[in-house]
């Protein structure tokens, strides 16, 4: 592969990893906002109409998603760093 093609190929890969990292960060921020809204929602734990049993499950799901997204973001940033270091 020619030097020019290698440079173009690297720029494309860097742009793709940046895009992925940005998308993961946006999704993570959205989930963190949902978590804040969920835990700060003033609800009665038991009520006649709704026992709110879904809230712990929803919070658990948000926490699991955050963990997976943080791992994915870490991997994307590491790959981006490795690509940038190859010069």
């Amino acid at each position: 592969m020619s030097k020019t093609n290698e440079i173009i190929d690297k720029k494309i890969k860097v742009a793709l990893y940046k895009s992925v990292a940005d998308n993961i960060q946006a999704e993570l921020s959205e989930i963190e906002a949902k978590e804040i809204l969920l835990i700060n929602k003033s609800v009665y734990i038991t009520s006649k109409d709704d026992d709110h049993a879904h809230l712990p499950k929803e919070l658990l799901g948000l926490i699991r998603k955050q963990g997976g997204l943080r791992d994915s973001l870490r991997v994307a940033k590491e790959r981006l760093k490795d690509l940038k270091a190859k010069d």
Side-chain angles (χ1 to χ4, degrees):
M1 190 183 297
S2 72
K3 187 68 173 172
T4 305
N5 286 344
E6 287 177 16
I7 292 169
I8 292 169
D9 186 53
K10 181 180 174 183
K11 285 182 179 183
I12 291 170
K13 289 177 182 177
V14 166
L16 285 170
Y17 278 108
K18 278 184 182 180
S19 176
V20 167
D22 290 346
N23 283 316
I24 292 171
Q25 186 60 57
E27 189 174 347
L28 185 56
S29 295
E30 183 180 326
I31 290 171
E32 289 170 348
K34 285 180 183 178
E35 178 186 1
I36 291 168
L37 290 171
L38 180 69
I39 62 173
N40 289 312
K41 187 190 293 187
S42 55
V43 295
Y44 295 103
I45 299 303
T46 58
S47 73
K48 190 174 185 176
D49 300 324
D50 189 1
D51 66 359
H52 302 286
H54 67 283
L55 295 178
K57 290 178 184 177
E58 188 176 348
L59 182 57
L60 175 62
L62 292 173
I63 291 170
R64 283 183 174 161
K65 265 184 152 177
Q66 286 179 42
L69 287 171
R70 284 189 180 111
D71 287 342
S72 298
L73 183 59
R74 181 187 47 79
V75 169
K77 285 182 176 181
E78 285 174 5
R79 299 243 171 97
L80 183 59
K81 183 180 170 184
D82 291 345
L83 273 173
K84 287 181 176 181
K86 290 182 183 179
D87 281 331

